[in-house]
Amino acid sequence: MIKYAVIFLVISVIAGAVGFTGVSALARRISLLLFGLFFLGFLLLIGFAMLVDQAVTAP
């Protein structure tokens, strides 16, 4: 998922440099959405790992 976020970010930068502002804005929005989903999933996995660690190490 992070790979697609980076791809859309590169598309956004290139489209902005060429002058396609509509395409650039759409690619930027998609990139931010994908990165946000990736980051949220990452935080959930970290939280789940902490819960499992506490459950395993508890006496």
Side-chain angles (χ1 to χ4, degrees):
M1 191 178 314
I2 193 74
K3 178 175 96 172
Y4 292 121
V6 171
I7 289 170
F8 277 108
L9 179 65
V10 169
I11 290 171
S12 175
V13 169
I14 291 172
V18 174
F20 297 121
T21 57
V23 174
S24 177
L26 180 65
R28 179 181 173 265
R29 186 171 295 147
I30 293 172
S31 175
L32 286 174
L33 176 70
L34 289 175
F35 181 76
L37 288 174
F38 171 79
F39 191 68
L40 182 63
F42 173 73
L43 290 178
L44 287 173
L45 277 172
I46 293 294
F48 184 69
M50 290 176 66
L51 289 175
V52 168
D53 180 52
Q54 288 178 358
V56 169
T57 58

